[in-house]
Amino acid sequence: MAVIQVDGKDLRYDLNPDPLRKDRLTGVFIHGSGGDRLDWKYQLNGLPDSINVIALDLPGHGRSQGPPAESIEAASQVVKQFIHNLGLERVMVVGCSLGSAIALHLALEGQSWLKGLGLVGAGARLRVLPAILDATLSAPEKAAAMVAHWALSQDADQSLKDELTQKMAQAPERLLHTDLSACNDFDALNRLKTESIKTPAWIIVGEDDKLTPVKYSKFLNDSIKNSRLDILPDAGHLAMIESPVEFNEKFKEFINWAAL
Ligand code: COA
């Protein structure tokens, strides 16, 4: 694990290889609500040698200093600064859920270093079921259990379900509320209808994703000109954990397709 200061706070990240090879494309992987860099453990070592891989703990998550960002815009600024401070010049930002909103926001802003987008369990709008959002304040343990339950496909291994439930329950107080509120406020549906994203985009979603249904990914695929959509059977919202082999295979196919 490595650490870098962003806005005076320590942000922690895993990287492969260490040190990074500056001449190569770097995939910067960003977790979703209540998550951390370990959500990408299967990507850290499972992707082609031709790219660098970084998995970041957003502020207030995992081992990074808080507080967590309260909006997608604020979180995007942190990621932008993180990439700048590392001196990365060719980046593919891959985000899951909340992370995908950050990736979309950066693409809509138009960053010269952004060469590819990865949108996992994504949506141009991420409204949260009021029952979940309310519970993040009134009954945090219940909210954590609900999110863990809905994030995986029905057929996921019980051990994976237990692991995720425990992780969500152990998240710092109010973290899930802050993250899900930021998602709930994110709405780029209209911008995507009128503005064009030129960055090549890989959109991947589990067929059994109940938090960001396949329809949301199809909308992204229709709205982004240079995009490719993969729908993974037997996976839910966290496809990178549930079907890591297929996920990594599809990632490689995208890298080749987009000639990154
Ligand atoms: N991409 C494309 N279409 C979208 C969309 C997206 N990101 N978000 C909403 N829409 C569509 C809906 O499919 C619906 O289309 P329809 O009228 O043709 O059926 C329309 O926009 C209105 O959406 P609706 O779901 O009625 O309202 P909403 O966007 O305000 O959502 C919720 C309210 C919370 C009930 C709904 O978003 C939901 O069930 N979300 C999934 C559960 C959740 O909490 N996810 C967390 C994400 S982090």
Side-chain angles (χ1 to χ4, degrees):
M1 189 172 50
V3 62
I4 191 167
Q5 287 243 317
V6 172
D7 292 336
K9 299 196 189 75
D10 285 347
L11 286 201
R12 293 198 159 72
Y13 60 100
D14 286 334
L15 69 167
N16 183 24
D18 184 5
L20 299 173
R21 296 153 304 189
K22 289 280 162 79
D23 58 320
R24 312 217 173 162
L25 180 79
T26 301
V28 174
F29 288 74
I30 306 173
H31 57 78
S33 299
D36 62 25
R37 68 189 190 291
L38 302 176
D39 292 345
W40 305 103
K41 61 183 172 187
Y42 298 114
Q43 284 66 52
L44 205 64
N45 294 303
L47 296 181
D49 193 41
S50 57
I51 69 158
N52 299 311
V53 180
I54 286 181
L56 166 70
D57 278 341
L58 288 172
H61 296 73
R63 302 280 309 280
S64 285
Q65 274 183 321
E70 294 199 353
S71 67
I72 297 302
E73 291 77 8
S76 303
Q77 286 305 314
V78 172
V79 172
K80 206 158 76 173
Q81 200 60 46
F82 172 79
I83 287 167
H84 175 79
N85 291 2
L86 281 174
L88 304 175
E89 288 168 3
R90 293 180 61 235
V91 177
M92 174 169 172
V93 175
V94 184
C96 177
S97 203
L98 172 138
S100 77
I102 294 171
L104 272 175
H105 183 83
L106 291 169
L108 283 165
E109 270 192 353
Q111 310 296 334
S112 60
W113 43 261
L114 188 63
K115 305 301 178 196
L117 273 184
L119 304 171
V120 185
R125 179 163 76 194
L126 292 175
R127 290 273 153 81
V128 178
L129 220 50
I132 297 180
L133 201 51
D134 293 349
T136 58
L137 285 180
S138 61
E141 279 178 25
K142 190 175 157 200
M146 284 164 95
V147 171
H149 175 74
W150 294 113
L152 295 171
S153 74
Q154 220 168 348
D155 299 329
D157 287 347
Q158 191 57 44
S159 58
L160 194 54
K161 289 180 180 170
D162 293 344
E163 196 184 311
L164 189 64
T165 306
Q166 202 180 4
K167 180 171 176 168
M168 287 290 167
Q170 285 171 349
E173 208 186 332
R174 287 184 71 105
L175 182 68
L176 213 46
H177 179 72
T178 306
D179 284 355
L180 291 179
S181 299
C183 288
N184 196 47
D185 292 343
F186 175 70
D187 188 350
L189 266 183
N190 286 330
R191 279 189 79 180
L192 274 175
K193 284 176 191 158
T194 54
E195 298 174 36
S196 64
I197 288 180
K198 296 191 179 71
T199 313
W202 175 49
I203 301 154
I204 181 160
V205 62
E207 197 171 26
D208 192 24
D209 188 333
K210 293 179 275 292
L211 291 178
T212 50
V214 169
K215 176 182 176 179
Y216 293 8
S217 286
K218 286 190 173 157
F219 173 83
L220 290 169
N221 194 37
D222 291 342
S223 308
I224 303 175
K225 202 172 156 208
N226 202 3
S227 65
R228 199 179 144 108
L229 170 64
D230 288 312
I231 302 172
L232 290 188
D234 311 320
H237 191 54
L238 303 178
M240 68 286 195
I241 297 173
E242 255 189 278
S243 300
V245 175
E246 294 82 354
F247 183 97
N248 291 352
E249 196 51 47
K250 296 295 180 192
F251 180 92
K252 276 183 227 164
E253 285 176 17
F254 171 78
I255 292 282
N256 291 335
W257 176 79
L260 288 177

